[in-house]
Amino acid sequence: MATRILPADDAGIAAAATAILGGEPVALPTETVYGLAADATCGEAVARVYAAKGRPAFNPLIVHVADKHAADRIAPIGQAAAALADAFWPGPLTLVLPAREGNGIAGIVTAGLPTIALRVPAHPVMRAVIAAVARPLAAPSANASGAISATRAAHVAASLDGRIGLVLDGGATTHGVESTIAAVAPNGLRLLRPGPIAPEALADTAGLPILATAGGVIEAPGQLASHYAPRLPLRLDATERRGDEWLIGFGAVAGDDTLSTVGDPVEAAARLFDALHRADASGRAAIAVAPVSADGLGVAVADRLARAAAPRPQPAPAERT
Ligand code: AMP
Ligand code: MG
C-alpha cells in the first residue's frame, strides 16, 4: 500500500473523511501527538488500526468526539466530569467513565471493558475530520507498536510507511506528549496517565481528591487491573465442544458463534470482545475457542485469548503501544 501525505487543507480533510468512512485508518494531527484514527462504531476499521501498528495486544483506545454533548451520548457526563469537561475540553484531557449500554461503540475499542476513555481534541484538523465524519473516532498514537509517538507527519510516514493509506500533514503537534488520563469515580479521580494537565488542576476543578492507586503509585497505562476477562473458564485450541461448553469457532471450526467463518484475523479481532461477552451470557458452564491462526492480527487475538484462559489475576499487557 502506498502511503500518501496530504496537506491538511479542505481537500485533505475531505479525503481523510472519505477514507475513514470507508473503514481505512488515517493518521491525523492532534494537539498531543499524531493519532491513527478510525470510525469507532466499526469494529473492522478499528481492527485495521491494530493491524497497521503491528500491535501484539489489545488495549482500550481513546474515543475522540466533537464536544461534551457528543461525549454524553457515549457515557453519561456527571457533575464532576462536566466540570472537568468545561475547564479542559477541547484539550489534552482524557476522561475514563462508565459507558452507556448500546452506545454504538465497537467492543474492540474498549477491549470489552464497561468503561470508556473520551476526549474532545482541540486541534483544528482533528476537529474538522470529526465534524466531516460525524462519528466518534478511536485513535491511538500513529506509530508502529513499540516505537515512540509521532509529533510530525514525517515521523508517522517513517514509522507506518506502506501500512496506512493516508497521513494528513498539520505540522508539528503542540504538546508532543499524550493526554492526561483520569478515571472519574464518585469518591475521587484516579490518574491513569500523567500528561499536559496537572493532577492538582484536575482535583481543584472536579472538587474531588486524587485517589492513591495500589501501592500509592500512579498507575501506568499498561498496568491497569481493568482488563476485561470473561467470567467463565476458557479452553483454548478447541476443535469440538466438550460437555456444556459454548464453542467460539474460527475458520473451519464451526461453533455456537464464530470469530470469522473465513478465518480472517482482522474480522476475528473486530468480533472478539463481543463474542466473549455473548459467551459469558450464554448460560453455559464454560467457553471453548477454536485455534486462531497466529499471523498478523491473529497474534493479538491469541494473546487476548491466552490471558482470558490463564488463571486470574492476569499479567499486565504490553506497554508503550
Ligand atoms: P493511546 O490510545 O495509545 O493513547 O492509549 C490509550 C490509553 O488509555 C491506554 O493507556 C489505555 O490503557 C487507556 N484507557 C483507554 N480506555 C480505558 C479504560 N476504559 N479504562 C482505563 N484505561 C483506559
Ligand atoms: Mg502509543
Side-chain angles (χ1 to χ4, degrees):
M1 174 190 309
T3 302
R4 286 188 302 163
I5 303 182
L6 292 180
D9 54 14
D10 289 352
I13 286 162
T18 302
I20 289 171
L21 287 171
E24 294 304 322
V26 175
L28 302 172
T30 82
E31 72 273 29
T32 57
V33 298
Y34 273 73
L36 187 57
D39 175 358
T41 66
C42 174
E44 292 209 20
V46 178
R48 287 190 198 107
V49 168
Y50 279 93
K53 284 176 63 96
R55 233 185 198 190
F58 297 111
N59 224 19
L61 304 180
I62 297 169
V63 173
H64 299 74
V65 292
D67 55 31
K68 187 174 70 175
H69 303 289
D72 184 72
R73 286 196 286 275
I74 298 172
I77 305 293
Q79 209 185 333
L84 292 169
D86 291 339
F88 299 108
W89 282 353
L93 174 65
T94 297
L95 296 178
V96 172
L97 299 162
R100 281 189 199 281
E101 290 277 329
N103 61 13
I105 302 296
I108 187 175
V109 171
T110 57
L113 294 177
T115 53
I116 188 157
L118 293 170
R119 181 163 99 84
V120 174
H123 197 289
V125 173
M126 186 67 168
R127 296 186 62 78
V129 175
I130 292 171
V133 171
R135 306 231 177 126
L137 297 182
S141 53
N143 51 269
S145 180
I148 56 168
S149 299
T151 54
R152 293 177 180 277
H155 299 167
V156 179
S159 194
L160 295 173
D161 189 39
R163 307 172 72 131
I164 59 174
L166 180 59
V167 184
L168 283 197
D169 187 351
T173 62
T174 319
H175 294 290
V177 294
E178 282 92 345
S179 58
T180 301
I181 305 181
V184 184
N187 57 337
L189 305 175
R190 287 190 309 135
L191 191 65
L192 302 182
R193 180 171 74 189
I197 297 175
E200 297 75 27
L202 298 177
D204 285 352
T205 303
L208 289 171
I210 301 286
L211 302 175
T213 49
V217 292
I218 288 170
E219 284 174 78
Q223 293 167 350
L224 289 174
S226 52
H227 276 260
Y228 173 72
R231 196 174 41 82
L232 297 177
L234 186 146
R235 182 168 69 86
L236 297 173
D237 296 325
T239 50
E240 61 197 6
R241 192 182 295 105
R242 283 188 203 151
D244 193 30
E245 285 175 340
W246 174 269
L247 177 61
I248 302 174
F250 180 80
V253 179
D256 298 289
D257 194 356
T258 180
L259 293 175
S260 171
T261 49
V262 293
D264 173 9
V266 173
E267 187 180 15
R271 293 177 56 91
L272 175 66
F273 294 99
D274 294 334
L276 290 174
H277 278 289
R278 277 193 295 272
D280 253 350
S282 66
R284 304 277 174 84
I287 308 170
V289 187
V292 174
S293 51
D295 56 304
L297 258 193
V299 175
V301 173
D303 169 81
R304 193 72 202 85
L305 289 171
R307 287 170 196 280
R312 325 282 155 76
Q314 296 171 19
E319 291 211 36
R320 192 200 257 189
T321 61

